[in-house]
Every structure is written in C-alpha cells, then in structure tokens.
Amino acid sequence: MIVLLILTYLTFIGMGLGDSMLGSAWPAMHGQFGVEAAMAGPLAMIVSGSTIVATYLSTRILRRFSTGLVLAVSLSLMSISALGFSLSGHFFVLCLLAVPLGFGAGNIDAAGNGFLAMHYSARQMSWLHCFWGVGATAGPAIMAFSLMHLSGWTMGYRVVGFLQLAVAVSLFVSLSRWKSVPAENEERAESHTDGAADSPPRTSALLRLRGARLAVLLFFVTGGMEMTLGLWGSTYLVLARGIPRDTATSWLALYYLGITVGRFLFGFLAARRSSRSIIRAGQGLIAMGALAIALPYDGFLMPGFILLGLGVAPLFPNYVHSTPSLFGKRYTQAMIGLQIVASYAGIMLMPPLFGLIGGNLGYRLFPIFVGALLAATMLIVTVLYRRQTQDSGL
C-alpha cells in the first residue's frame, strides 16, 4: 500500500502543477492569442465547470473502474491539455482544451480523496493536500524559469505536461497493484452482484442522510472562503490598505505557503489529536489572521496572511477524512464527490459575491466578509460533529 500512497501523492503534485499554470502564464499568453486579459475569467470558468461535472460523475466512474485507472487516465487528460496549450494558436482551442483539464482534475480530486479517506489516516490525508500545494507552488516557479531562461510560456507548459505524463505512465504500469486493495474490490464486487454498479446513490438519497446537507454546506462555505482569500487578498492590500503591488503579491504568496507548510505540520499533529480538535485549531488561526489584517497597523498584515494560510490548511483534509465516520464507508465515495462539487460551487460563487460587495461598498469589508464565512463554518462544525459519538474519532 505504500507504493499506492506515493503514487497518489505524485498524482496530486501533478494536479497542483496543472491547476496553477494558467494564472502564472496568462499575462504572457493573452497577447499572443489576441484577447484581453479579462478573458482568463471565461477560460477559468470552463475549467471549473468541467471539474464540477467530473466530480459529480466520479462515483459512477469509480464503481466501474479502479482508482488507479481513474487517476492514470485523468492525469493523462491534464497532460494532454498542458501539451495542447503549448501547441495551440487560437483562443477557441484553449477553451476546448480547458474541458479535459477540468475533467481530469475533478476525477483526481474525488478519487484520491476517497481512496485516502477509506484506507489511510488523517496524517496521510493532510499530506495529500500538502503535496497538491507542492505542485501548485512549483507550477509558477517552472513558468517563471521558462519565461526568463527558455522559449517562453509554451516551454513551461511542455515541461509540466511531460512531468504529468511521466507520473501517468507510472500509474498505468502499477495498475496490477491496485487490485490488491481489498475494500475497493469488495465494494465493486458487491455492486455488480446486487445490480447497483450502474446506479450509485442518488443525490437526493445522499442529502437525506443525517447531517449530509450540513456537510455539503460546510464544503461550500469553506471552498468559497479559501478562494476569496486567495483571489481578493492582494486587492485588499493594494486598494484598501495602500500597500505597493509587488509587496502585496509577495504577502499573498505567504498565504499559499502557509497552506502548504500547515498541511505538512498538521499531518504530524493528526496522530495525537482528533479531526475535530484540529479543525478548531485551524478556525482559531483564521480568526487571529482575520483580526490581524483588519487592525489599522500595517505591521500585522504579513503575519496575518501567514496565519490565514496556516488556519485554512487543516480544514479540507480533515473534513474529507471525517466522511467515513460521519456517513459510513458505503456512502463515503459518493459523499466525497458531492462535497467536492459543493466546494467548487463555493469557489465559483463566493469570490464574485465579495467582488460585488467590495466594488459597491469598499474593499475594507474583506476581513469582515472572511470573518462571516468563518463564523458560518464554526457553527456548522459545532452542529454537525456534535451528533457523532466518541467512537467516531472526531
């Protein structure tokens, strides 16, 4: 199982590489395609929409195919998209290539999270998302090196595409090892026996499970909060606090670094503390970070964004790892898929909502908006996890 764990980690690094490339390359790309910089928005929406569709269909896909095959094919799709971006000469082609990019990412997200939630501890789950952060951090670094020393953004995409392809080949080579995962094989055999292979739990049935609606809402709010911090943090620093743009960008980078480092460190803590206590610690750090950036002292801004990143770090991994305890292994994969759909919906909807608020009422409301989302997550966690017994490990 250690080999499968390592391969899943490498797959999430590959996904992180693909997720972070567009933002870092677009300033150098859009002029060559003859479109305005704002066209990154529709392109990103195609990626997000495809990710949501893929995540929604992931339960049905994983009932038919092994986790290893789903990861291998999905990362191959992301690799094809990256290599296609580097060869494309038209914006319309980029839009077409954005579909397999999002579809691959959505299936990797659902399959990888479900696999670790059912077979590994909270520590490994936290490190899984840490390795996504490694990829998301390395992507812009590769692109920056390509822009400065190689043949521009196209070579950056090619490097990432071939790295993803190398991991995908390793996954294809290891497919026989995935057959040794007993729980996965038993579930697939049972579904074929009772005729349920083509009929995974309906969304309406999942939402009738005790606590399911609260869990879905929790992912929606948390996803929206994490993306709002990443999308509007720099704007808040520049327009509301008068921080220079280059300084604001570097401080926002500390937010992402905090997420990556935090997930690595909280992975060690997971062996000694319950998921619920770790979630509470993360929420406390977010509260401290939001207060720090709201205070009228610029010296608190940089540490505030570090605290925000460290606080966000343990939330998603521990929410996902709690799914089997909350809903049972029978519904774990389906619930994880539904929860990730909700997370991406929050990612798509909450940042634009703050954009409307900030544009009309002022970007100084940014810490208040983040605080309101945090308060919502704290309330939901209190109600949702209070229902669980001590044996659940939460």
Side-chain angles (χ1 to χ4, degrees):
M1 293 286 282
I2 186 64
V3 173
L4 303 185
L5 179 63
I6 292 173
L7 286 171
T8 308
Y9 284 167
L10 291 174
T11 304
F12 264 61
I13 291 176
M15 181 175 70
L17 285 169
D19 287 346
S20 62
M21 290 298 287
L22 181 61
S24 58
W26 188 248
M29 289 175 62
H30 72 87
Q32 296 184 26
F33 289 94
V35 297
E36 298 292 332
M39 292 305 293
L43 192 59
M45 289 189 68
I46 294 173
V47 176
S48 298
S50 301
T51 302
I52 290 174
V53 172
T55 307
Y56 184 77
L57 296 175
S58 63
T59 303
R60 190 180 298 273
I61 293 171
L62 287 163
R63 281 181 167 244
R64 288 181 173 272
F65 307 103
S66 71
T67 300
L69 182 59
V70 172
L71 292 177
V73 172
S74 299
L75 192 58
S76 297
L77 289 175
M78 296 192 73
S79 172
I80 291 170
S81 294
L83 295 173
F85 267 48
S86 73
L87 299 173
S88 173
H90 301 279
F91 180 75
F92 178 72
V93 177
L94 292 183
C95 293
L96 294 179
L97 290 169
V99 175
L101 176 63
F103 199 85
N107 275 300
I108 290 173
D109 212 351
N113 277 293
F115 177 66
L116 262 76
M118 289 187 284
H119 300 292
Y120 294 93
S121 68
R123 172 185 293 183
Q124 279 79 27
M125 177 64 75
S126 184
W127 288 343
L128 177 70
H129 293 270
C130 171
F131 278 108
W132 176 90
V134 170
T137 303
I142 292 172
M143 182 56 66
F145 183 85
S146 178
L147 290 171
M148 290 187 293
H149 302 290
L150 301 177
S151 57
W153 66 269
T154 55
M155 185 56 68
Y157 264 108
R158 286 171 192 168
V159 170
V160 166
F162 283 118
L163 288 174
Q164 292 171 326
L165 185 60
V167 177
V169 170
S170 299
L171 286 163
F172 279 115
V173 171
S174 69
L175 285 180
S176 60
R177 290 180 176 271
W178 295 88
K179 297 178 181 179
S180 64
V181 183
E184 183 180 79
N185 293 335
E186 290 168 7
E187 181 181 351
R188 189 170 290 108
E190 180 182 345
S191 66
H192 280 289
T193 300
D194 61 17
D198 296 322
S199 56
R202 293 179 178 272
T203 301
S204 57
L206 292 174
L207 292 175
R208 285 195 294 269
L209 296 174
R210 185 180 183 186
R213 295 183 183 184
L214 282 176
V216 168
L217 181 60
L218 180 62
F219 274 75
F220 176 85
V221 177
T222 303
M225 179 174 65
E226 182 174 339
M227 182 55 67
T228 299
L229 284 165
L231 184 62
W232 293 106
S234 183
T235 301
Y236 166 73
L237 290 172
V238 174
L239 297 183
R241 302 300 296 269
I243 303 298
R245 291 181 180 178
D246 54 347
T247 303
T249 300
S250 64
W251 288 356
L252 183 63
L254 293 175
Y255 163 69
Y256 289 107
L257 182 62
I259 293 177
T260 302
V261 173
R263 284 173 175 168
F264 179 76
L265 296 177
F266 276 109
F268 290 105
L269 189 61
R272 298 183 177 88
R273 295 289 186 268
S274 67
S275 292
R276 183 175 181 180
S277 64
I278 293 175
I279 289 169
R280 287 301 191 197
Q283 291 172 331
L285 289 171
I286 295 174
M288 293 170 61
L291 178 61
I293 66 172
L295 292 174
Y297 302 103
D298 290 352
F300 290 163
L301 292 172
M302 184 178 71
F305 274 92
I306 295 175
L307 288 171
L308 287 168
L310 290 172
V312 166
L315 299 187
F316 196 90
N318 280 277
Y319 292 163
V320 173
H321 188 262
S322 301
T323 302
S325 298
L326 288 167
F327 304 106
K329 284 195 172 184
R330 177 184 177 186
Y331 297 106
T332 291
Q333 188 63 65
M335 277 302 303
I336 286 177
L338 186 59
Q339 289 169 158
I340 294 176
V341 167
S343 177
Y344 280 110
I347 287 171
M348 289 184 66
L349 297 177
M350 300 305 285
L353 174 61
F354 177 73
L356 292 174
I357 294 173
N360 289 281
L361 301 178
Y363 292 102
R364 284 192 173 272
L365 295 176
F366 177 72
I368 297 176
F369 187 80
V370 172
L373 296 179
L374 173 63
T377 66
M378 295 176 74
L379 178 61
I380 296 170
V381 166
T382 299
V383 175
L384 178 63
Y385 288 16
R386 185 177 58 191
R387 298 174 177 177
Q388 308 308 309
T389 65
Q390 294 294 326
D391 293 335
S392 67
L394 302 180

